[in-house]
């Protein structure tokens, strides 16, 4: 499931968290926040890495 929310004055970041057997990736950009869920950790990490590269960030935050 995906969800998108508008954000103001937030620093771009990519976060990965595991909860209740699901993996979630949260991507925060200039005016938007996207949260995407994955059943497999490898898929979540691959998506997060792609977003990190796209946003030119140094790291992914694991929560």
């Amino acid at each position: 499931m995906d969800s998108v929310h508008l954000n103001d004055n937030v620093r771009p970041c990519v976060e990965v968290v595991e909860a209740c057997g699901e993996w979630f990736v949260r991507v925060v950009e200039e005016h938007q926040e996207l949260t995407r869920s994955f059943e497999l950790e490898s898929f979540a990490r691959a998506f997060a890495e792609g977003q990190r590269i796209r946003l030119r960030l140094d790291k992914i935050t694991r929560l």
Side-chain angles (χ1 to χ4, degrees), residues 23-56:
W23 290 88
F24 297 90
V25 177
R26 178 176 173 245
V27 180
V28 177
E29 296 187 60
E30 211 171 285
H31 296 290
Q32 156 173 303
E33 175 184 317
L34 166 73
T35 302
R36 211 159 160 198
S37 64
F38 298 87
E39 291 184 20
L40 299 175
E41 178 183 8
S42 60
F43 287 13
R45 288 189 177 273
F47 177 75
E49 182 63 18
Q51 295 303 302
R52 182 196 67 77
I53 292 168
R54 181 179 69 81
L55 293 171
R56 298 181 178 156

